[in-house]
Amino acid sequence: KCSNWFNKYIFSYIDSLDKYKEIDLNKNNFYVGLKLQRKYKYLVGNAWQLAHAVYYQKNMTEEMIYIIQDLEFLFYPNRKKLQDRVKETYLPEYKYYFISNYLQNYFIKNFKINNSISSTLCVNQNFYKNLNLTRKNTVVIPYYSDFKPGRNPKLVEEIIHILSVNKITCYVFPYNYTKTSNSHIKNLGTLTINDLNNLYNISKVGIIFSQSNPSRLGFEMYSSGLQVIEMDNEYTKYDMPSNYFTKIKDS
């Protein structure tokens, strides 16, 4: 029921919003649903489903803003109709904000986008920092199995196998690698931010591959003192300078 959904989720969102102390919730009402009650200066969509809702109510706002965080149509492989539906939301009436230079370049080339700004990918150095610990000749490798095809799991599997059979210890997270089993593969499971920073500080090399939008993990690794290996492709061309990241094409 709608009332169950409201009680379970909405008030938890309101509590989270209140913690930022940016908005006085005693002076601002909130509405549940996609039909607006009044006009706003800005309407913001940060996913294609919300972009549809924003566009249908463009008469209720001065400006529409579309935050692009990834190539969302790639989330639906072999589903052309759904891919086309996502692409239909990329309309010239929006002002666009891209979270990476790669995304901005892609959209300018492939869609009629002429009003946009991009962000620069960065890292929170309060969490990810070099602790100047003694480092071992080990490698940190995030592994997502088939859950995230954009992280190139097949190439990751090849590299874990090559390294481990050559007696180089691989610290693997958040999913367990089970294609090969030997004492040099250490499956760590899900880690906290503090655990991750400590892990990044005891090894020398980190490997993360970006086959869609550049991964933040590479920046977190680098900030923690790891030498980072990334993919050499269009996705890393604009945001990950080659003088900081080692880029490869295959195993």
Side-chain angles (χ1 to χ4, degrees):
K1 293 181 179 179
C2 289
S3 59
N4 292 338
W5 185 88
F6 184 88
N7 291 327
K8 184 176 180 181
Y9 295 107
I10 291 297
F11 286 110
S12 68
Y13 297 155
I14 296 301
D15 288 342
S16 296
L17 184 63
D18 192 37
K19 292 175 183 177
Y20 285 96
K21 303 302 179 186
E22 295 291 337
I23 297 174
D24 185 346
L25 295 177
N26 294 316
K27 295 181 179 179
N28 293 272
N29 206 343
F30 58 91
Y31 307 100
V32 179
L34 297 177
K35 185 176 181 181
L36 298 179
Q37 308 296 310
R38 62 181 177 86
K39 288 195 173 184
Y40 292 84
K41 185 173 179 65
Y42 305 108
L43 286 184
V44 181
N46 67 340
W48 71 269
Q49 300 92 333
L50 284 177
H52 267 303
V54 167
Y55 190 77
Y56 290 149
Q57 299 183 92
K58 60 183 179 180
N59 62 323
M60 300 295 285
T61 185
E62 295 179 27
E63 290 185 321
M64 298 185 298
I65 298 172
Y66 201 154
I67 299 175
I68 303 292
Q69 304 177 74
D70 214 325
L71 301 180
E72 291 187 284
F73 53 86
L74 295 181
F75 296 173
Y76 310 103
N78 305 315
R79 299 178 67 183
K80 187 177 184 306
K81 286 186 178 180
L82 190 51
Q83 287 185 354
D84 290 341
R85 192 176 176 201
V86 176
K87 292 177 182 178
E88 287 168 0
T89 66
Y90 303 142
L91 298 167
E93 292 97 321
Y94 286 103
K95 285 188 173 179
Y96 286 83
Y97 178 83
F98 298 97
I99 70 162
S100 71
N101 289 300
Y102 160 71
L103 286 171
Q104 185 182 42
N105 277 273
Y106 181 91
F107 272 78
I108 289 174
K109 289 178 182 178
N110 293 277
F111 299 96
K112 295 179 180 178
I113 304 301
N114 53 23
N115 192 354
S116 70
I117 61 172
S118 70
S119 177
T120 298
L121 288 169
C122 57
V123 58
N124 188 335
Q125 293 185 315
N126 292 318
F127 299 136
Y128 298 99
K129 52 193 172 184
N130 193 337
L131 302 175
N132 297 310
L133 303 179
T134 301
R135 296 180 182 270
K136 299 178 287 186
N137 292 324
T138 54
V139 180
V140 178
I141 309 180
Y143 174 58
Y144 289 97
S145 185
D146 295 326
F147 177 66
K148 286 187 177 182
R151 294 291 162 253
N152 206 336
K154 299 303 180 187
L155 180 56
V156 172
E157 290 168 3
E158 290 178 32
I159 289 176
I160 292 174
H161 175 73
I162 292 170
L163 292 175
S164 63
V165 298
N166 282 280
K167 299 183 180 180
I168 297 175
T169 297
C170 302
Y171 292 115
V172 181
F173 72 95
Y175 290 89
N176 290 344
Y177 172 80
T178 57
K179 307 285 183 179
T180 304
S181 178
N182 62 58
S183 61
H184 294 282
I185 299 173
K186 309 292 185 183
N187 288 310
L188 304 179
T190 304
L191 302 171
T192 66
I193 290 176
N194 189 58
D195 289 339
L196 266 180
N197 186 229
N198 287 327
L199 174 64
Y200 293 162
N201 272 270
I202 63 171
S203 295
K204 291 185 178 179
V205 175
I207 299 175
I208 181 71
F209 296 132
S210 299
Q211 286 195 133
S212 56
N213 200 43
S215 171
R216 74 184 191 286
L217 293 177
F219 293 88
E220 293 168 357
M221 290 176 174
Y222 186 84
S223 180
S224 302
L226 286 171
Q227 298 296 311
V228 181
I229 298 176
E230 250 285 8
M231 286 295 293
D232 184 5
N233 58 26
E234 183 74 9
Y235 308 111
T236 61
K237 177 179 178 182
Y238 304 97
D239 298 275
M240 311 190 83
S242 296
N243 54 325
Y244 295 103
F245 297 90
T246 300
K247 298 179 182 178
I248 65 174
K249 292 185 179 293
D250 53 48
S251 60

